[in-house]
Amino acid sequence: MFLFLSGCAESDPVKISEDFIPAIDPAGDHIELHARMCRPANARGPLPLMLFVHGYTTSTYGRSRQKLQLCNSSWIRWFLDHGYEAVSFLKSGYGNSGGVAADPNLTDSHTGLTDFWSMTSNAAAQIAVVLDYYTKHSNIDRSRVLLIGHSGGGPEVLRFRNIEKDMTVRKVVLSPGMGSTISTSFDQTYHLMDKTSLLYAFCGLGRINESEVLWFNVDDDDHFLVEDENDMIHSFRSCGGKAQVRRLPFVMGMWAHTMYFQPRAIKYWGPPVLSFALASPKGEETVQTPTSH
């Protein structure tokens, strides 16, 4: 289904497509993934593609109410104004996407999950399905594909493997991981994912990413201890991963972990992403399964 959104005076109208894409969930069932494509309506010729991958929600209720990114949100609009087609989708078990989530046991009362590697694999397969759909059904410049993953979606972007020889995929991760959560109201710290399993997975992600990734963290992130952020980066790099790491300043009035999507934040991380996407050469990637602990 196609819709058109009139933008601000300085922006072009936006073509919107709401799509349900056939896929398979972690249980092996055939489902449909809900996706939204935002494209400058007046664009001519193939455009670079930005595909966004959301993170995890720690409740069944929260997963059921997960929403797609809006085409008129400030950060999506910023990519559109810079000539990109922007796509977001909901992973299985979230919002209007069918099936079960890759993280069905992830709740606030269930900590210490131990198989982060498998969780990233399930989502990476869905990323591949969505990417295949839009590179075939929309006018995309296959030499300029950008994957952006936030929070738990970051490792899933890192797990995705590009097997198309005529397609160049660059990867950007925003506060990636699934480590400690700091509760400001109760001053408690706990781990949603067993840390040994988390670092084991990041080591494996380092092995399969031969080209450099752009990695952002934010000061005072209430989802990650600084030591956990540093340990994930170290584990990724120590196993061969190449990461250009940038730390963004905390901006007052914004929630640090989701600061990226606030109206004023794109000016901090948008320009480095565009520079990275244009400057980075294509890298060939291989599949390897991490060795035992």
Side-chain angles (χ1 to χ4, degrees), residues 54-93:
H54 67 80
Y56 297 115
T57 300
T58 56
S59 72
T60 302
Y61 177 77
R63 286 192 288 268
S64 70
R65 295 182 63 82
Q66 185 90 9
K67 302 296 184 183
L68 292 166
Q69 297 295 311
L70 296 174
C71 293
N72 62 355
S73 64
S74 60
W75 79 276
I76 291 289
R77 190 87 225 194
W78 192 88
F79 276 97
L80 297 179
D81 289 344
H82 285 82
Y84 275 77
E85 177 174 309
V87 171
S88 64
F89 78 101
L90 298 178
K91 292 174 286 192
S92 62

Side-chain angles (χ1 to χ4, degrees), residues 150-170:
H150 173 246
S151 192
E156 295 167 345
V157 162
L158 296 177
R159 185 67 188 271
F160 168 81
R161 183 176 73 101
N162 175 28
I163 61 174
E164 302 292 336
K165 297 302 182 182
D166 66 335
M167 184 164 66
T168 301
V169 177
R170 309 310 306 141

Side-chain angles (χ1 to χ4, degrees), residues 14-143:
V14 179
K15 177 182 177 182
I16 305 171
S17 177
E18 296 279 339
D19 302 299
F20 286 86
I21 302 170
I24 297 176
D25 74 357
D29 294 327
H30 291 269
I31 61 165
E32 291 184 324
L33 300 174
H34 186 198
R36 175 176 293 142
M37 179 274 286
C38 313
R39 182 181 176 94
N42 298 327
R44 297 291 182 267
L47 297 183
L49 171 67
M50 187 282 290
L51 175 61
F52 174 70
V53 182
H54 67 80
Y56 297 115
T57 300
T58 56
S59 72
T60 302
Y61 177 77
R63 286 192 288 268
S64 70
R65 295 182 63 82
Q66 185 90 9
K67 302 296 184 183
L68 292 166
Q69 297 295 311
L70 296 174
C71 293
N72 62 355
S73 64
S74 60
W75 79 276
I76 291 289
R77 190 87 225 194
W78 192 88
F79 276 97
L80 297 179
D81 289 344
H82 285 82
Y84 275 77
E85 177 174 309
V87 171
S88 64
F89 78 101
L90 298 178
K91 292 174 286 192
S92 62
Y94 283 79
N96 290 328
S97 288
V100 299
D103 54 327
N105 294 317
L106 177 59
T107 66
D108 288 324
S109 61
H110 190 113
T111 61
L113 298 177
T114 59
D115 194 4
F116 194 49
W117 182 253
S118 293
M119 288 168 62
T120 61
S121 176
N122 291 326
Q126 294 180 16
I127 293 172
V129 167
V130 175
L131 186 56
D132 180 71
Y133 179 88
Y134 284 104
T135 54
K136 290 179 177 177
H137 290 82
S138 192
N139 193 2
I140 296 300
D141 180 351
R142 292 170 63 87
S143 70

Side-chain angles (χ1 to χ4, degrees), residues 157-163 165 169-171 205 207-213 282-288:
V157 162
L158 296 177
R159 185 67 188 271
F160 168 81
R161 183 176 73 101
N162 175 28
I163 61 174
K165 297 302 182 182
V169 177
R170 309 310 306 141
K171 299 177 181 179
L205 295 171
R207 288 195 180 105
I208 66 174
N209 281 272
E210 295 183 3
S211 53
E212 185 182 47
V213 304
K282 182 176 181 179
E284 299 299 328
E285 296 177 355
T286 57
V287 177
Q288 295 183 33

